[in-house]
Amino acid sequence: MPGANNSTQLYLDALVWDAHAGVFPDPSVNLELLQAWPDAGADYVSINVGFDVMEWHETLATLAAYRRWVIAHSDRFVLVDKVQDIDRARAQNKFALSFDIEGMNALNNDINMVSLYHRLGVRQMLFAYNLGNTAAGGCHDNDTGLTRFGRQVVQEMNRVGMIVDCSHAAYTTTMDIISESSRPVVFSHSNPTAIWNHQRNIRDDQIKACAATGGVIGLNGMGIFLGDNDIAIDTLLGHVRYISDLVGTEHIGLGLDYSPRVDIDIGVILRSRPDYWPAGQQYETRDIKHAGPQHLPQLIDAMEHSGFTEADLRGFLGENFRRVAASAWDADQPEPAR
Ligand SMILES: [Zn+2]
């Protein structure tokens, strides 16, 4: 390819895993928008089918709609069960995806919902969405820990085979999740507080505790979590560099939180619910910028120039999250007698 350099070749060749898309879930969303990821060279994304702002049955309705769409478009898209499905999809030039849920309101206080969601394609769940719920504390709310129900959910997620995701939860809740989980945990889309002080970002000891489980922290591409609505490549690089210096390159990944939706104004949604997106946290910012998968070739080039090795870059782009998923999704233990 004309003008191609090492990092371009590497990007084209590497597994590219985006641990979280930021599409506002709704059964009416046309999932043709997913094409933005393979068009940018990505191989897999986890897309949210619900978050705590929604009623639990709206999450189920969204999951039903998305699931049906993906199966109907199996010529291009693959709903993932195990990591081997992602390898197979790549070999067939198809794009792989699975679902995540942001917050435990989707469980309707019923532990039985965890295995149901798993069966329907949910492979990653978060405990809270900014505010506390019956399982966990949220990052924009009082700093509370996991409840008894929340601890049961961690165990059930470990059992059925879901990635345990600490993003959006309160500090104490994340530390409780990390000590409760028997498998690696992730912050799928959270940036370091040390670089940009935001309640959605995470402190050094959270990053260290996550890494100690074998987990991964995914780089969030939203400008207000990176800086003052700043998505400059150097800014992205600074966040990645900080985490890799703190805990090592095997714990960095991508969770860009990106949405290609042009039919909605994200700012209008954020300003409509000041309980979930409180004042003083930059949500009132006009024209919030967002780094998406289309920015990755430039970022990888900058990382290569700043000294990251090929193995580091492959880990960051996808192999690190693949390692966590291989462990988490392989659980498959029998139903306990009740
Ligand atoms: Zn999120």
Side-chain angles (χ1 to χ4, degrees):
M1 157 186 309
N5 55 25
N6 286 345
S7 64
T8 309
Q9 283 304 333
L10 185 150
Y11 178 73
L12 293 172
D13 178 58
L15 168 70
V16 178
W17 181 299
D18 187 351
H20 182 72
V23 177
F24 284 92
D26 181 323
S28 69
V29 169
N30 181 356
L31 285 189
E32 200 57 55
L33 60 79
L34 287 168
Q35 188 63 41
W37 277 267
D39 284 352
D43 299 294
Y44 165 86
V45 73
S46 177
I47 181 172
N48 49 344
V49 292
F51 64 151
D52 272 350
V53 183
M54 293 160 62
E55 298 285 334
W56 72 272
H57 53 87
E58 294 176 309
T59 295
L60 208 52
T62 305
L63 173 54
Y66 285 14
R67 197 171 185 278
R68 190 171 180 193
W69 189 95
V70 174
I71 292 166
H73 294 78
S74 57
D75 56 326
R76 286 180 292 146
F77 297 95
V78 173
L79 189 58
V80 166
D81 180 25
K82 306 278 187 194
V83 288
Q84 290 77 10
D85 298 322
I86 300 176
D87 305 335
R88 211 170 296 129
R90 291 186 77 206
Q92 297 172 350
N93 242 331
K94 294 183 184 182
F95 184 71
L97 69 142
S98 57
F99 303 126
D100 65 71
I101 296 175
E102 299 185 274
M104 299 282 161
N105 284 352
L107 298 179
N108 192 30
N109 294 317
D110 184 354
I111 194 75
N112 297 320
M113 293 296 284
V114 177
S115 57
L116 179 69
Y117 281 129
H118 178 268
R119 181 55 68 96
L120 297 177
V122 176
R123 287 292 174 277
Q124 182 171 308
M125 280 205 308
L126 293 76
F127 287 74
Y129 187 87
N130 299 351
L131 298 185
N133 56 35
T134 59
C139 66
H140 289 324
D141 204 340
N142 297 324
D143 182 25
T144 57
L146 273 182
T147 65
R148 190 168 164 271
F149 177 60
R151 289 183 191 279
Q152 288 174 350
V153 175
V154 176
Q155 293 161 13
E156 181 70 350
M157 287 173 69
N158 285 160
R159 186 185 72 79
V160 302
M162 278 192 196
I163 294 176
V164 172
D165 189 345
C166 296
S167 281
H168 285 282
Y171 172 84
T172 300
T173 284
T174 65
M175 295 312 235
D176 286 350
I177 294 168
I178 288 166
S179 62
E180 188 70 35
S181 179
S182 60
R183 297 187 185 262
V185 308
V186 303
F187 285 91
S188 68
H189 57 299
S190 295
N191 294 334
T193 302
I195 300 288
W196 186 249
N197 190 6
H198 192 289
Q199 289 176 0
R200 265 287 279 114
N201 288 347
I202 53 174
R203 305 179 204 168
D204 287 2
D205 55 338
Q206 290 172 291
I207 295 167
K208 287 180 184 167
C210 170
T213 70
V216 175
I217 296 96
L219 175 70
N220 191 312
M222 194 176 269
I224 61 171
F225 303 143
L226 289 161
D228 184 11
N229 199 17
D230 177 7
I231 59 166
I233 292 297
D234 273 354
T235 303
L236 295 165
L237 180 62
H239 282 265
V240 175
R241 171 61 73 191
Y242 184 83
I243 292 178
S244 65
D245 285 350
L246 189 66
V247 291
T249 55
E250 62 274 36
H251 302 291
I252 53 175
L254 296 163
L256 293 170
D257 208 5
Y258 178 70
S259 172
R261 285 184 74 171
V262 290
D263 58 318
I264 54 165
D265 180 341
I266 287 175
V268 170
I269 294 176
L270 298 181
R271 290 189 291 276
S272 72
R273 290 298 299 262
D275 45 349
Y276 282 98
W277 297 289
Q281 293 294 317
Q282 298 167 265
Y283 295 120
E284 64 280 9
T285 304
R286 301 279 158 175
D287 299 321
I288 293 174
K289 294 178 190 155
H290 212 133
Q294 67 277 20
H295 293 83
L296 291 176
Q298 248 188 301
L299 175 60
I300 292 304
D301 195 45
M303 287 175 71
E304 190 192 32
H305 280 101
S306 85
F308 285 91
T309 67
E310 178 176 341
D312 295 340
L313 295 174
R314 287 183 186 274
F316 170 67
L317 282 170
E319 295 298 337
N320 292 338
F321 266 120
R322 187 189 190 283
R323 178 191 74 227
V324 169
S327 166
W329 295 347
D330 247 357
D332 246 354
Q333 290 158 56
E335 291 289 336
R338 257 196 272 269

